Amino acid sequence: MIQIATSWLILIPIVFGIGWLAARWDLRLENRMDERERMRQQRSTFKGLSLLLNEQPDQAIETLVKIAQLDPETIELHFALGSLFRRRGETERAIRVHQHLAERDDLKPRDRDHAAYELGRDFLRAGLLDRAEASLNRVGDGKFAAPAKESLLEMYQIERDWQKAIIAASELEGLQGKSHHTEIAQFHCEIGQEALRRKDLPEVEKSIQMALQAVPNHARAVILQGDYLIAMERPAQAIEVWSAVASTHPAYMHLLADRWMAAHTAIDTADAGLSALHDLLRTQASGELLDIVQKHMTQIRGPQAAEVMLVEVMQHSPTLSALSKLAETRLMLAESHGTPERVSDLQATLSLLKQRTTSLARYTCGNCGFRARRFYWQCPGCNHWEAYSPRRNEGAVSSGPSM
């Protein structure tokens, strides 16, 4: 009996040892399997990235989706997939991915903010503005606070909700430490312009003051202030206000030149108003201002005076646009006193010049290069404010008139 008991005592450590070795063996097998799985996932990930780099997004997405299905914890991969879907225009799939992330309870606050931001961008891309606003407003004060506010600002401009745009731009200044005064002044001007259309003059006055508070002597706000005074039937004061534009923002005078002349006409000083515009042509001879001055010069002082003015312009600022206006004025004179041959020659010349100047005369955005026939405070191409030069591109000529 003692020998049997002794044998069992000897066997116990041996059994434990075998069990320990088996556990170690299972652990090694499990580690090997985990390692193989990790390597397989890494190979799949690299394959997906390689497909992306080789501009094969369809195959890349299929590969990355399989990885995400095998390991639901790959949060960054889900974010990458959602962004890919959105860029390819598959907004419904992007929304599903980001919505799944946003609804998870185990996400860290930063990842939850990231998911809310990306989901807001998805909704914005899909045109679901209410849902985009709700999602972007859920973003906290961390890394994604400023991008979310930028997206909200973009959305409010699309909706033309200028009051909310002002609030978003002001909050962005605090988040970024960067001035948005120019945009804020423009938003106030938009509110004032809309109020002027519906003849809500107290609202116009308030908006002008807020715009000038954001950017003192802001060109558009001063122009709008003159329009407000015209609506109040105070043309002399409008002229006084617009005189500041002539001295500090002369390149913008073409935007109000016709209204400037109407205000002068209302107080019987049309000739003085025309002289002031004529003086500006020494530095602002190209673009629409020349067209407007030529029109009013012809009406008030006659085509001969307009011809003299245009010859003067061609001497110091020769452009195809000025040459076209000179041909137009000389045709007007020839139709009154010239020969049929002279009229025919000028008609042919004017026709060629108009074809050429119509294709050349454009305002160009300094940010994206978008070209337009009319001036915009906000570029229709990239939505940047005050990106357009107030001067129209004109075709220059190398010598004076030869007609």
Side-chain angles (χ1 to χ4, degrees):
M1 286 293 293
I2 294 172
Q3 288 180 345
I4 293 170
T6 304
S7 300
W8 275 108
L9 287 173
I10 294 170
L11 285 172
I12 287 171
I14 293 172
V15 170
F16 274 111
I18 292 169
W20 181 81
L21 287 171
R24 292 284 298 172
W25 180 257
D26 287 343
L27 185 63
R28 288 179 66 184
L29 283 175
E30 186 178 336
N31 286 341
R32 284 181 183 176
M33 289 175 68
D34 288 347
E35 185 64 30
R36 286 173 186 167
E37 183 63 27
R38 280 196 294 272
M39 289 179 67
R40 189 161 67 86
Q41 288 189 12
Q42 285 179 356
R43 284 196 296 271
S44 297
T45 303
F46 287 131
K47 179 183 176 184
L49 293 174
S50 175
L51 288 166
L52 278 178
L53 291 172
N54 291 322
E55 297 183 354
Q56 294 176 271
D58 291 334
Q59 295 93 318
I61 286 173
E62 285 179 17
T63 302
L64 296 175
V65 165
K66 287 176 183 176
I67 302 170
Q69 289 170 342
L70 288 170
D71 185 2
E73 301 301 316
T74 51
I75 292 170
E76 291 303 323
L77 181 56
H78 281 78
F79 280 128
L81 274 173
S83 296
L84 269 173
F85 288 142
R86 187 171 65 233
R87 280 201 296 272
R88 296 182 72 241
E90 296 182 59
T91 50
E92 288 186 12
R93 297 181 77 183
I95 288 169
R96 283 200 298 272
V97 170
H98 292 135
Q99 209 157 32
H100 165 72
L101 288 171
E103 290 170 357
R104 284 177 56 170
D105 295 328
D106 59 335
L107 285 189
K108 296 175 182 177
R110 175 179 168 176
D111 289 331
R112 188 173 291 107
D113 285 346
H114 190 183
Y117 166 68
E118 295 292 352
L119 186 58
R121 294 293 300 172
D122 296 338
F123 286 137
L124 190 58
R125 180 73 177 268
L128 303 171
L129 302 185
D130 289 344
R131 298 178 72 180
E133 182 177 16
S135 186
L136 291 167
N137 277 325
R138 285 200 296 271
V139 176
D141 297 328
K143 175 183 176 182
F144 296 95
K149 199 64 68 177
E150 286 177 341
S151 295
L152 283 168
L153 180 57
E154 176 189 343
M155 186 187 72
Y156 294 144
Q157 291 180 75
I158 292 169
E159 291 183 301
R160 299 183 66 82
D161 191 334
W162 305 117
Q163 293 289 3
K164 284 186 177 180
I166 290 166
I167 294 169
S170 301
E171 290 174 347
L172 260 179
E173 288 187 331
L175 289 168
Q176 296 176 325
K178 171 185 168 185
S179 173
H180 287 271
H181 287 7
T182 297
E183 293 96 322
I184 290 171
Q186 288 288 351
F187 299 155
H188 282 298
C189 287
E190 289 287 341
I191 292 170
Q193 205 77 56
E194 291 172 1
L196 186 62
R197 279 194 286 270
R198 64 176 185 267
K199 299 183 180 178
D200 183 353
L201 298 184
E203 181 66 24
V204 179
E205 184 179 22
K206 177 185 172 184
S207 299
I208 292 165
Q209 295 308 317
M210 295 299 290
L212 291 172
Q213 185 177 319
V215 179
N217 201 31
H218 187 259
R220 186 180 181 186
V222 176
I223 294 170
L224 184 59
Q225 191 173 26
D227 291 332
Y228 161 75
L229 291 166
I230 291 294
M232 294 287 288
E233 299 182 354
R234 290 148 62 181
Q237 286 178 275
I239 291 167
E240 185 179 347
V241 166
W242 283 335
S243 295
V245 179
S247 59
T248 58
H249 305 289
Y252 289 99
M253 275 300 288
H254 67 89
L255 298 175
L256 60 92
D258 276 322
R259 304 199 294 283
W260 165 275
M261 289 303 302
H264 274 284
T265 301
I267 58 172
D268 297 322
T269 57
D271 197 71
L274 180 60
S275 294
L277 293 181
H278 186 190
D279 291 341
L280 280 175
L281 288 181
R282 293 186 176 89
T283 57
Q284 312 295 320
S286 63
E288 291 181 80
L289 183 62
L290 178 63
D291 302 349
I292 294 167
V293 172
Q294 185 257 2
K295 177 182 69 177
H296 289 286
M297 184 77 74
T298 302
Q299 291 172 354
I300 295 170
R301 300 180 186 172
Q304 292 90 348
E307 182 187 27
V308 171
M309 178 270 292
L310 288 163
V311 169
E312 175 191 335
V313 168
M314 284 297 297
Q315 288 172 348
H316 65 75
S317 303
T319 63
L320 288 177
S321 180
L323 188 61
S324 177
K325 285 295 170 186
L326 181 57
E328 184 182 307
T329 304
R330 286 181 169 170
L331 176 60
M332 196 182 305
L333 289 167
E335 287 173 340
S336 300
H337 307 291
T339 64
E341 292 78 9
R342 174 69 169 163
V343 170
S344 179
D345 289 345
L346 286 167
Q347 284 174 337
T349 302
L350 183 59
S351 176
L352 289 171
L353 285 169
K354 281 188 173 180
Q355 288 176 19
R356 182 65 174 157
T357 54
T358 298
S359 62
L360 284 175
R362 292 287 190 278
Y363 294 100
T364 305
C365 175
N367 183 63
C368 70
F370 188 92
R371 302 178 75 224
R373 291 182 184 275
R374 53 165 290 194
F375 175 82
Y376 290 97
W377 289 106
Q378 183 185 28
C379 174
C382 64
N383 294 323
H384 276 62
W385 290 93
E386 298 185 29
Y388 271 97
S389 167
R391 290 189 174 89
R392 199 169 62 187
N393 290 338
E394 303 282 339
V397 293
S398 58
S399 60
S402 58
M403 289 179 291

